[in-house]
Amino acid sequence: KRYNIVLGAAASPWVGFKHFESFFGSYYFAEVMGNTLRISILSILIGFPAPILFALILNEVKNHRTKTIFQTISYMPYFLSVVVVVGLVRIFLEDRGVVNMLVKAMGGKSIYFLGEPKYFFAIYEAMGLWRWIGYDAILYLAAISAVNQDLYEAAAVDGAGNLSRIWHVTLPGIRSTIIVLLIMRVGNILNVSWQEILLLQNELNEGVSEVIQTFVYKRGIIKADYGYSTAVGLF
């Protein structure tokens, strides 16, 4: 429908597939879709195996106190507000931030990271990894704890080292959990954490950071084009 806020949803006129045709035929469709898929696929390639690796490393830590400390520190960022997380990232990347101080110390020049489109994906993925790795690892640690301990003892008797036990016992033991979570992750390939993107976005990096969710927000909430943005959101 071409939604009219005065007429309401019932009385607003039908327009059929007009909004879908407008979106698919627009010059920004390829850019928005490309950015969404690129960010999502990178998140799967980088963000999905990282918690598995982290859980495997934590599982090998024998000191319970040390293991608890590292685990607690790793999932603390998950409980921070998105605004706080992005604010911290901006502080780290500003001209007098920690990252630019390191760059200058190594003889380089200060870089406006958020103004350089080529750095956007790296910043977004690093921020997501820092925020989610500890929380996501909890699921894998729970799955690892359910693996039969007799298998580890049998492997040790057969002369298997730590890496061999991980490869032949731990990973096969949590394989079903990995597969289910991967299927769920791929099923949400067009959904990205758009709040972080919107807060990191500016006019200089908009060409690589505009995704479906931010596009819907700007078109629907800011420009009040409800019918069009609803069609894009449905897609």
Side-chain angles (χ1 to χ4, degrees):
K1 290 195 168 189
R2 184 170 67 249
Y3 180 74
N4 186 306
I5 196 169
V6 177
L7 297 176
S12 294
W14 291 97
V15 293
F17 290 102
K18 179 184 176 181
H19 295 317
F20 293 100
E21 292 170 355
S22 297
F23 179 58
F24 297 149
S26 62
Y27 69 91
Y28 43 74
F29 171 73
E31 180 181 282
V32 171
M33 275 296 297
N35 291 338
T36 305
L37 289 172
R38 193 178 297 113
I39 290 173
S40 190
I41 291 171
L42 280 173
S43 296
I44 292 174
L45 293 177
I46 299 172
F48 184 77
I52 301 173
L53 180 61
F54 184 63
L56 293 173
I57 293 172
L58 274 181
N59 188 58
E60 293 301 311
V61 178
K62 303 306 178 185
N63 188 299
H64 180 72
R65 182 179 177 82
T66 304
K67 182 177 180 179
T68 303
I69 291 172
F70 276 104
Q71 188 175 354
T72 303
I73 292 173
S74 68
Y75 67 64
M76 280 179 64
Y78 170 79
F79 298 100
L80 295 177
S81 164
V82 175
V83 178
V84 173
V85 171
V86 176
L88 289 171
V89 171
R90 287 183 172 275
I91 291 172
F92 291 151
L93 297 178
E94 65 182 11
D95 184 55
R96 296 183 179 180
V98 176
V99 178
N100 269 317
M101 287 176 65
L102 291 173
V103 171
K104 292 175 182 177
M106 297 172 65
K109 294 182 179 179
S110 178
I111 303 171
Y112 181 35
F113 288 98
L114 293 177
E116 294 282 350
K118 62 182 179 181
Y119 294 121
F120 180 81
F121 296 116
I123 293 169
Y124 176 80
E125 295 302 332
M127 182 179 65
L129 198 61
W130 173 62
R131 190 179 182 208
W132 288 95
I133 189 170
Y135 183 79
D136 288 345
I138 294 174
L139 295 172
Y140 298 108
L141 285 169
I144 290 172
S145 66
V147 177
N148 190 343
Q149 295 300 310
D150 293 340
L151 296 175
Y152 290 106
E153 295 176 7
V157 170
D158 288 340
N162 288 340
L163 291 178
S164 294
R165 289 198 294 270
I166 290 172
W167 184 257
H168 294 289
V169 179
T170 308
L171 286 176
I174 64 173
R175 181 171 53 193
S176 58
T177 302
I178 294 173
I179 291 172
V180 170
L181 292 176
L182 180 60
I183 291 171
M184 293 174 65
R185 188 74 171 263
V186 173
N188 285 302
I189 197 166
L190 290 183
N191 289 326
V192 297
S193 299
W194 64 274
Q195 297 98 328
E196 290 96 325
I197 293 175
L198 193 65
L199 292 169
L200 288 172
Q201 200 175 69
N202 56 50
E203 293 181 356
L204 297 175
N205 63 29
E206 194 173 29
V208 297
S209 63
E210 187 78 331
V211 296
I212 292 175
Q213 286 83 358
T214 57
F215 178 81
V216 169
Y217 167 76
K218 293 175 182 177
R219 193 66 180 257
I221 303 299
I222 297 178
K223 294 186 178 180
D225 194 350
Y226 304 114
Y228 183 84
S229 62
T230 299
V232 177
L234 177 62
F235 165 73

